[in-house]
């Protein structure tokens, strides 16, 4: 697959995980791709915690479903009905999970390029996540990003220090297939915005809602 094909095939996966094993070499290639990401001041502020333990995953899954209920309680009418249909994770069905963290102290205090924009460290972690996602897609694996959690819950579950931020819980594994249309679009939650609506020339004009 060329890079554009991988980008268009990539999907956020919840329902299609098979639970089949991932070859150790493949997992290493995917994590090495994540680790090859660009980073502010070359800080490489990420770590990757591979979670296989069914008990840890079950505990996290319960927390995610409490958070899902919390979000659902704030919805009414058509939004509530649409959200009811949407599966938000494949924590139990996927082969394993990778939790990606951000350590703002790595390479500090003189972080080249972060003096004015503290978030540049977080941006770097997100690029590592995107590399992981694309590499997994190229390997025929699915990835599902889960963000329905309280950071402190995940910190205590995985013994992450207070100064380190958990950025993503990623479900990973072989899939039956990758959907062609994103789940949220198929379930009528939101659609892809036409690219011309988000490209502006010479000055910023407000994009779509
Ligand atoms: C920061 C971030 C957090 C996300 N959190 C969740 C989540 O908790 N549950 C979920 O089902 N999808 C989550 N997603 C996936 C998005 O819903 C998905 O990327 C979007 O609907 C577009 O679909 P696609 O990735 O298949 O193109 C998240 C994606 C990002 C980038």
């Amino acid at each position: 697959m060329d890079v554009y094909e991988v980008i268009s095939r990539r999907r956020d996966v919840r329902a299609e995980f098979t639970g089949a094993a991932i070859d150790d070499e493949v997992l290493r290639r995917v994590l090495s791709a994540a680790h090859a990401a660009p980073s502010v001041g070359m800080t490489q502020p990420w770590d990757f915690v591979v979670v296989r333990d069914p008990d840890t995953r079950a505990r996290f899954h319960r927390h995610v479903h409490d958070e899902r209920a919390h979000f659902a309680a704030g919805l009414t009418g058509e939004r509530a009905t649409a959200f009811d249909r949407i599966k938000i994770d494949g924590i139990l069905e996927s082969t394993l999970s990778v939790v990606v963290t951000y350590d703002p102290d790595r390479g500090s205090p003189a972080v080249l390029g972060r003096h004015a924009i503290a978030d540049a460290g977080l941006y770097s972690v997100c690029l590592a996540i995107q590399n992981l996602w694309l590499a997994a897609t190229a390997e025929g694996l699915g990835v599902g990003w889960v963000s329905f959690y309280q950071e402190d819950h995940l910190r205590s579950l995985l013994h992450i220090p207070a100064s380190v931020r958990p950025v993503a819980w990623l479900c990973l594994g072989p899939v039956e297939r990758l959907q062609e249309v994103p789940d949220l679009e198929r379930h009528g939650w939101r659609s892809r915005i036409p690219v011309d609506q988000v490209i502006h020339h010479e000055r910023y004009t407000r994009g779509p809602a």
Side-chain angles (χ1 to χ4, degrees), residues 10-12 14 87-89 133 145-148 182 184 192:
R10 184 210 56 79
R11 280 277 76 78
D12 186 87
R14 297 97 164 175
K87 180 171 167 65
I88 57 150
D89 77 278
W133 212 333
W145 186 325
V146 185
S147 58
F148 280 73
L184 296 195
R192 182 80 59 197

Side-chain angles (χ1 to χ4, degrees), residues 4-182:
Y4 288 101
E5 195 179 345
V6 175
I7 287 169
S8 73
R9 278 180 55 83
R10 184 210 56 79
R11 280 277 76 78
D12 186 87
V13 176
R14 297 97 164 175
E16 293 81 10
F17 289 111
T18 65
I22 303 176
D23 187 87
D24 283 347
E25 282 301 307
V26 172
L27 180 61
R28 195 174 170 77
R29 277 203 296 274
V30 167
L31 294 177
S32 299
H35 186 55
S39 60
V40 66
M42 215 174 165
T43 47
Q44 303 151 80
W46 44 70
D47 285 276
F48 307 102
V49 184
V50 178
V51 181
R52 300 175 192 267
D53 181 27
D55 183 52
T56 305
R57 287 157 65 187
R59 285 168 63 192
F60 184 66
H61 181 255
R62 281 197 291 278
H63 173 69
V64 163
H65 281 264
D66 289 347
E67 288 297 316
R68 184 200 161 101
H70 183 68
F71 177 67
L75 301 174
T76 54
E78 174 276 325
R79 289 285 84 178
T81 314
F83 186 62
D84 256 4
R85 292 192 294 267
I86 295 173
K87 180 171 167 65
I88 57 150
D89 77 278
I91 298 164
L92 302 179
E93 303 90 334
S94 57
T95 307
L96 54 81
S97 293
V98 177
V99 175
V100 187
T101 58
Y102 168 49
D103 181 355
D105 296 330
R106 192 166 296 160
S108 72
V111 176
L112 188 157
R114 205 184 64 185
H115 71 286
I117 302 174
D119 285 345
L122 267 183
Y123 304 160
S124 308
V125 174
C126 292
L127 292 170
I129 294 169
Q130 181 72 341
N131 270 13
L132 183 158
W133 212 333
L134 294 176
T137 307
E139 297 282 359
L141 302 174
V143 173
W145 186 325
V146 185
S147 58
F148 280 73
Y149 61 82
Q150 297 295 326
E151 289 186 11
D152 278 341
H153 176 92
L154 192 44
R155 275 198 190 91
S156 91
L157 191 64
L158 300 185
H159 301 195
I160 298 168
S163 60
V164 172
R165 282 188 77 179
V167 179
W169 178 292
L170 303 175
C171 303
L172 179 70
V175 287
E176 285 156 15
R177 59 188 283 246
L178 291 174
Q179 296 285 348
E180 282 177 20
V181 179

